[in-house]
Amino acid sequence: MNIGLFGYGKMGKKIEQIAQDRGHTITAKINDSSQEVDYSAFDVAIDFSTPETAFENITRCFEHKVPVISGTTGWLEKYEDAIEICNANQSAFIYASNFSLGVNIFFELNKKLAQMMAGLDQYRVSMEEIHHTQKLDAPSGTAITLAEGIISNSTYNKWKLNESGDHIVPIKSIREGMVPGTHTISYGSAVDTIQIKHEAHNREGFALGAVIASEWIQGKEGVFTMKDVLNLS
């Protein structure tokens, strides 16, 4: 499989290593929007670029019928437009706030736990996410996805950063050291606390998931999620 990489930072380099280890070829590394791109040279594009360039990168690939795997955050106000362009060009797309296989299982556990806790008013939910100091956005995209999973399966109706209240999922964001990513969901009452937690040990899990998604999407048409890739019912 020939892969075009949009964004060649730390994640792009890790994706390159894992893709090559799995027998694939990186045929383009696009780190500048002014670069000339031969879209015919790759079977799939993996986008870990920037919020400013992601939409253009993704939609140009669709226009050339190149399927896209994207983990870039900060551009999602144009997500529905991207889907429309994908479908119009009969291309394929997977976006995920986190491609880690473990995190995507954690997303489903989080939804199930939210359903189980929905009728227990004595418990209040809270979330904590910890990342390295180079991560400037807060909360993380993964934390937002987790919060949305709780909201869609309970009576909570919004999330807030460092703010609690009725029907609010409070998210505490911590930036310290070189932590790849730790997310903890807690349901606390006067008598006990229930917690689920995902702790990444390195970036490899994120990169591996993106490469596995790019393998899975070959020959497909439409918009999918990591839930489809992992066959999570």
Side-chain angles (χ1 to χ4, degrees), residues 73-149:
T73 58
W75 66 276
L76 293 182
E77 70 279 359
K78 295 182 177 179
Y79 178 76
E80 295 299 328
D81 295 333
I83 289 176
E84 186 175 329
I85 294 168
C86 175
N87 290 332
N89 288 278
Q90 298 178 306
S91 192
F93 186 37
I94 296 175
Y95 167 79
S97 60
N98 192 316
F99 278 94
S100 160
L101 307 184
V103 162
N104 280 277
I105 293 169
F106 190 64
F107 285 155
E108 298 308 308
L109 287 173
N110 171 61
K111 292 175 186 176
K112 183 63 176 177
L113 181 57
Q115 292 170 3
M116 295 170 69
M117 303 301 293
L120 301 174
D121 294 339
Q122 64 268 44
Y123 288 91
R124 296 296 296 270
V125 73
S126 62
M127 188 188 314
E128 179 183 271
E129 57 101 344
I130 309 172
H131 282 87
H132 51 85
T133 53
Q134 293 175 322
K135 185 174 181 61
L136 301 179
D137 61 311
S140 67
T142 301
I144 292 172
T145 301
L146 288 164
E148 289 172 346

Side-chain angles (χ1 to χ4, degrees), residues 8 22 26-27 71 101 119 125 172-174 194 218 228-229:
Y8 194 59
R22 293 173 70 90
I26 305 299
T27 53
L101 307 184
V125 73
K172 181 179 180 180
S173 292
I174 299 170
I194 299 169
Q218 294 300 299
D228 298 309
V229 175

